[in-house]
Amino acid sequence: MASMIRKSLDDPEETRPVADGMGQVELVNLEAGPVGRATFLPGWKWSDHVKPIAKTDSCQASHTGYTISGRIKVVMDDGEELEFGPGDFGVIPPGHDAWVLGDEPYVFIDWQGMADYAKPKE
């Protein structure tokens, strides 16, 4: 019989900062892969604060998750745009840029795209 698992994003197993102190990703690891809580501060933009870490032209992670607070705008490489806010569930395919809207931090729980997100390339 499988055992229950309890982990807390308030006591993460790994924390990855983004450039200029504009946020961080806190991770807990499960057999199916990491689950992360991303917190991005007002003024954060993927192309400014994660692109230097990822070394790709746009975010190549596929995200599946839930917005806790704040607002973010996502623009796909093909020009499709969508905003996410509190209570929104989202699926965001690879190939996008994103930035925080307004003056509230954006907090997102992601259970698909965190394995290599904001992880420095070797």
Side-chain angles (χ1 to χ4, degrees):
M1 175 185 249
S3 296
M4 292 192 294
I5 297 171
R6 180 178 182 268
K7 297 188 178 204
S8 174
L9 290 167
D10 291 332
D11 186 22
E13 296 169 338
E14 183 180 356
T15 300
R16 297 179 193 153
V18 299
D20 302 325
M22 293 299 288
Q24 65 183 15
V25 174
E26 298 152 314
L27 301 154
V28 293
N29 294 301
L30 303 174
E31 188 174 313
V35 174
R37 175 175 57 198
T39 303
F40 302 129
L41 301 179
W44 174 88
K45 186 173 184 179
W46 185 90
S47 53
D48 293 337
H49 300 103
V50 182
K51 181 178 180 174
I53 299 166
K55 299 184 182 352
T56 56
D57 289 335
S58 60
C59 181
Q60 296 303 305
S62 178
H63 304 286
T64 301
Y66 179 80
T67 299
I68 301 293
S69 61
R71 296 198 65 75
I72 198 167
K73 182 169 187 170
V74 179
V75 178
M76 300 300 299
D77 290 348
D78 68 5
E80 180 183 5
E81 301 180 9
L82 199 55
E83 292 183 17
F84 295 91
D88 288 341
F89 171 83
V91 175
I92 305 167
H96 58 272
D97 195 1
W99 53 91
V100 173
L101 299 171
D103 59 2
E104 182 181 358
Y106 178 74
V107 181
F108 183 71
I109 304 297
D110 189 338
W111 55 84
Q112 180 182 7
M114 290 296 170
D116 293 320
Y117 193 85
K119 189 174 191 175
K121 301 293 181 205
E122 313 236 344

